[in-house]
């Protein structure tokens, strides 16, 4: 697309410098050209068949408002009118396919809009298409998709991150202005870091989960991927808030500041915490550590105070996360049995065999692995004790993190110990893949907001081998606006960090 930000696009639509149809057609052409590439990005699984007609409707509204002198009023009511966005393949769009990157749901058509989709539609935004993901959001590289891996637009030999890798790659490659993702343990922030864009995980409940296929219900959240903090704040301003259909949903304090997000100013009173467990983490890539050091220098140059804090409970975050997430996944995915949901494999040998054959044929190896582990944790031998212990540790993490924010305003740390890795490098090493979440899971366990900012690049020998590095700013519950204001201050001092690198078409 010719315009990098939502505001640039909206201004161009208002001024007549472009049309919604032109934006959509450009995206469609890019999608079709990419399919013919020798190394296709594979960010979108499909472009929805009604995008042109929706864009035409938006253009008609704009033309009519211009003639009536009500253009500003129109965009106040529909701030995203005519703006196309990317959608992850586990978020329901009425009348459109939804597969969660899995064979078991191939051909399934959503019966209704997820709340986040409905709210974006009412704001005038156009769902452009569904994006690739790790199957049922279980993965950190988007290599565990039944429809092939998504490549990184910065260098197509590398992974895009996961599980929201398709949405991140689409935004990074400038195929969409912003994208919706979901995360259970870092699946928005991680691909944002790998692809060099901004990724936002809200306080649990700020964005409704109604219409989003569940992985780990007590951890799942919808998130937003974009080129700038303002491009997160604009859709967030229409998405945030309580939803009748989601009992865990809630309103976001200070949400009125989102529509015109400003950068954070009061750095002299900002107290930053860096957990010693993350500062001294084994396996942190030297280039990631170097970028983190530069980020700390930026904060201190602004007058912020940085403190190293000891939080031993964080060493249990990965274990607690996977016990809880996999247990809840085993429960949530039990409905995909060929009877209630899922493509049925019926060999007329009875319901038990139908159930076994359907799930064996429909699920990929990583999903099977997590279901087996989850069911084992919940099995009779343990009587749920392991899950309960995981929840006890989680409660301790929540308590310790809440106590931390009584003294400190923000936690900063890398998003991932390493930059993006090459395709196939870790796909057969589940433990190495799981450790990609080392710095992200505590945010989900504590239900706090966090935003990943593009903070720099690795020291590659040439431009193609330099990969992005993301740093995250995590705040206390419902401090979402301040985290985005901090990210906006970062963006204003580092504007090139968020500019997408265009890959091969």
């Amino acid at each position: 697309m010719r315009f990098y930000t939502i505001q640039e696009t909206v201004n161009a639509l208002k001024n007549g410098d472009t049309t919604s149809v032109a934006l959509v057609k450009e995206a469609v052409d890019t999608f079709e050209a990419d399919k013919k590439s020798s190394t296709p990005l594979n960010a979108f699984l499909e472009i929805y068949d009604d995008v042109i007609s929706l864009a035409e409707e938006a253009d008609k509204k704009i033309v009519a408002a211009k003639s009536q002198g009500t253009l500003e009023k129109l965009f106040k009511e529909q701030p995203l009118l005519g703006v196309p966005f990317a959608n992850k393949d586990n978020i329901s769009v009425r009348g459109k396919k939804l597969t969660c990157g899995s064979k078991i749901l191939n051909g399934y058509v959503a019966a209704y809009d997820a709340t986040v989709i409905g709210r974006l539609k009412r704001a005038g935004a156009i769902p452009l298409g569904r994006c690739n993901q790790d199957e049922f959001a279980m993965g950190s590289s988007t290599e565990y998709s039944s429809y092939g891996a998504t490549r990184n637009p910065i260098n197509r030999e590398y992974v895009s991150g996961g599980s929201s890798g398709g949405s991140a790659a689409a935004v990074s490659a400038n195929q969409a202005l912003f994208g919706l993702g979901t995360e259970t343990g870092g699946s928005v922030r991680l691909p944002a870091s790998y692809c060099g864009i901004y990724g936002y995980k809200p306080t649990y409940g700020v964005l409704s989960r109604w219409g989003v296929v569940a992985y780990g219900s007590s951890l799942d959240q919808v998130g937003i991927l974009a080129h700038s903090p303002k491009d997160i704040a604009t859709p967030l301003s229409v998405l945030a808030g309580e939803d009748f259909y989601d009992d865990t949903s809630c309103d976001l304090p200070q949400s009125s500041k989102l529509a015109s997000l400003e950068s954070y100013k009061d750095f002299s009173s900002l107290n930053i915490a860096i957990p010693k467990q993350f500062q001294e983490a084994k396996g942190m890539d030297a280039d990631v550590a170097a970028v983190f050091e530069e980020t700390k220098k930026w904060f201190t140059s602004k007058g912020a105070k940085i403190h190293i804090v000891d939080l031993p409970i964080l060493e249990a975050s990965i274990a607690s996360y996977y016990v809880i997430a996999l247990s809840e996944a085993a429960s949530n995915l039990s409905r995909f049995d060929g009877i209630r949901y899922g493509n049925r494999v019926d060999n007329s040998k009875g319901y038990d065999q139908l159930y076994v054959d359907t799930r064996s044929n429909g699920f990929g190896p990583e999903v099977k692995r997590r279901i087996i582990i989850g069911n084992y944790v919940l099995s009779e031998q343990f009587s749920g004790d392991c899950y309960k212990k995981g929840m006890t540790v989680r409660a301790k993490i929540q308590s310790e993190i809440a106590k931390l924010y009584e003294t400190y305003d923000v936690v900063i740390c890398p998003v991932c110990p390493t930059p993006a890795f090459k395709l196939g490098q870790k796909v057969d090493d589940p433990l190495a893949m799981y450790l990609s979440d080392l710095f992200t899971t505590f945010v989900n366990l504590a239900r706090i907001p966090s935003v990943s900012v593009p903070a720099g690049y690795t020291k590659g020998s040439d431009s193609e081998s330099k990969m992005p590095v993301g740093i995250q700013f995590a705040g206390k519950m419902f401090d979402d606006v301040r985290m985005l204001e901090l990210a906006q201050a970062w963006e204003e001092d580092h504007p090139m960090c968020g500019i997408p690198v265009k890959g091969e078409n």
Side-chain angles (χ1 to χ4, degrees):
M1 291 186 180
R2 288 167 286 170
F3 308 99
Y4 283 133
T5 70
I6 291 173
Q7 193 55 57
E8 286 177 351
T9 303
V10 168
N11 289 339
L13 288 167
K14 287 179 178 178
N15 297 334
D17 294 333
T18 191
T19 64
S20 182
V21 168
L23 294 171
V24 167
K25 282 185 175 178
E26 186 176 353
V28 173
D29 290 344
T30 302
F31 171 72
E32 293 297 335
D34 183 71
K35 288 197 298 184
K36 300 173 184 176
S37 166
S38 59
T39 54
L41 196 61
N42 200 27
F44 282 100
L45 294 177
E46 70 166 332
I47 300 292
Y48 297 138
D49 57 8
D50 59 352
V51 288
I52 297 295
S53 61
L54 291 173
E56 289 172 344
E57 290 176 17
D59 287 336
K60 287 177 183 177
K61 285 185 178 181
I62 294 170
V63 170
K66 275 186 178 180
S67 65
Q68 296 165 9
T70 58
L71 192 60
E72 292 303 320
K73 180 174 182 283
L74 175 65
F75 274 92
K76 187 174 182 179
E77 294 172 350
Q78 292 189 292
L80 294 167
L81 183 62
V83 175
F85 69 93
N87 184 47
K88 190 175 179 180
D89 190 28
N90 61 350
I91 302 175
S92 301
V93 179
R94 184 178 180 182
K96 308 302 180 188
K97 293 178 183 177
L98 179 148
T99 71
C100 298
S102 179
K103 283 177 16 180
I104 204 166
L105 281 176
N106 188 31
Y108 174 76
V109 174
Y112 58 91
D113 282 331
T115 294
V116 289
I117 296 296
R119 288 179 177 177
L120 285 174
K121 282 183 176 180
R122 286 192 290 275
I126 298 172
L128 186 57
R130 60 188 176 96
C131 288
N132 201 15
Q133 63 167 80
D134 285 300
E135 186 179 8
F136 283 100
M138 298 181 187
S140 302
S141 65
T142 314
E143 292 176 285
Y144 297 136
S145 168
S146 297
Y147 306 102
T150 294
R151 297 174 181 270
N152 193 313
I154 312 299
N155 185 325
R156 298 198 178 200
E157 297 304 311
Y158 288 74
V159 301
S160 62
S163 63
S164 306
S167 295
V171 173
S172 177
N174 221 34
Q175 294 181 352
L177 287 160
F178 71 96
L180 293 184
T182 64
E183 69 159 73
T184 308
S187 288
V188 166
R189 288 165 289 153
L190 184 65
S193 174
Y194 283 1
C195 292
I197 58 174
Y198 289 83
Y200 161 70
K201 181 264 176 209
T203 296
Y204 185 84
V206 164
L207 295 183
S208 171
R209 292 181 296 114
W210 194 75
V212 180
V213 179
Y215 165 14
S217 301
S218 72
L219 298 160
D220 291 346
Q221 274 286 257
V222 176
I224 304 171
L225 298 132
H227 295 310
S228 73
K230 287 187 177 181
D231 278 7
I232 290 172
T234 300
L236 181 61
S237 67
V238 302
L239 287 173
E242 190 175 352
D243 176 25
F244 173 82
Y245 296 104
D246 181 358
D247 287 341
T248 67
S249 64
C250 52
D251 291 328
L252 176 64
Q254 298 186 312
S255 59
S256 59
K257 293 184 177 182
L258 293 169
S260 54
L261 185 73
E262 296 183 356
S263 63
Y264 191 79
K265 306 294 184 189
D266 191 19
F267 281 87
S268 62
S269 63
L270 191 71
N271 283 303
I272 297 171
I274 299 176
K276 183 176 76 172
Q277 287 68 25
F278 294 164
Q279 178 86 350
E280 301 172 357
K282 294 180 181 179
M284 188 188 296
D285 182 88
D287 287 343
V288 172
V291 170
F292 188 33
E293 286 301 316
E294 290 301 312
T295 306
K296 288 188 283 185
K297 288 178 183 177
W298 177 80
F299 273 105
T300 54
S301 72
K302 291 284 191 178
K305 301 174 185 66
I306 293 179
H307 308 266
I308 306 300
V309 298
D310 189 12
L311 282 174
I313 192 67
L314 291 180
E315 295 177 355
S317 60
I318 281 279
S320 173
Y321 166 77
Y322 275 103
V323 165
I324 295 167
L326 272 55
S327 298
E328 293 181 2
S331 175
N332 280 324
L333 268 63
S334 64
R335 73 194 71 179
F336 300 100
D337 54 12
I339 299 170
R340 290 169 289 180
Y341 293 96
N343 291 313
R344 180 180 300 188
V345 177
D346 193 350
N347 52 21
S348 302
K349 293 182 180 179
Y351 287 117
D352 288 348
Q353 194 61 42
L354 181 152
Y355 181 81
V356 170
D357 290 347
T358 293
R359 290 166 68 83
S360 298
N361 181 70
F363 289 138
E366 180 60 24
V367 174
K368 291 175 186 175
R369 180 184 295 118
R370 297 194 187 200
I371 289 173
I372 290 168
I373 295 172
N375 280 325
Y376 183 71
V377 168
L378 296 173
S379 65
E380 186 178 349
Q381 297 95 310
F382 288 117
S383 300
D385 286 348
C386 192
Y387 179 74
K388 290 175 184 175
K389 287 178 182 177
M391 291 298 285
T392 300
V393 172
R394 176 189 183 150
K396 181 68 172 175
I397 290 172
Q398 285 183 280
S399 174
E400 291 291 323
I401 293 295
K403 187 176 180 181
L404 178 76
Y405 284 116
E406 292 176 4
T407 305
Y408 304 101
D409 302 301
V410 59
V411 172
I412 65 169
C413 63
V415 174
C416 185
T418 68
F421 46 89
K422 287 194 172 183
L423 288 160
Q425 184 176 332
K426 297 182 181 181
V427 72
D428 295 321
D429 188 352
L431 183 58
M433 195 77 80
Y434 296 168
L435 290 175
S436 297
D437 299 331
L438 183 64
F439 298 149
T440 55
T441 55
F442 84 98
V443 168
N444 303 78
L445 292 166
R447 296 181 169 176
I448 59 177
S450 179
V451 58
S452 168
V453 306
Y457 290 84
T458 60
K459 296 175 183 176
S461 57
D462 52 50
S463 61
E464 289 188 357
S465 59
K466 291 182 178 181
M467 299 304 293
V469 174
I471 302 297
Q472 63 176 328
F473 308 158
K476 64 183 179 182
M477 288 186 73
F478 300 110
D479 212 10
D480 302 57
V481 173
R482 178 154 60 165
M483 293 307 102
L484 290 172
E485 288 174 341
L486 280 171
Q488 181 59 30
W490 173 269
E491 164 68 13
E492 290 176 6
D493 281 3
H494 305 83
M496 292 304 294
C497 283
I499 296 295
V501 177
K502 293 186 177 181
E504 169 191 355
N505 281 337

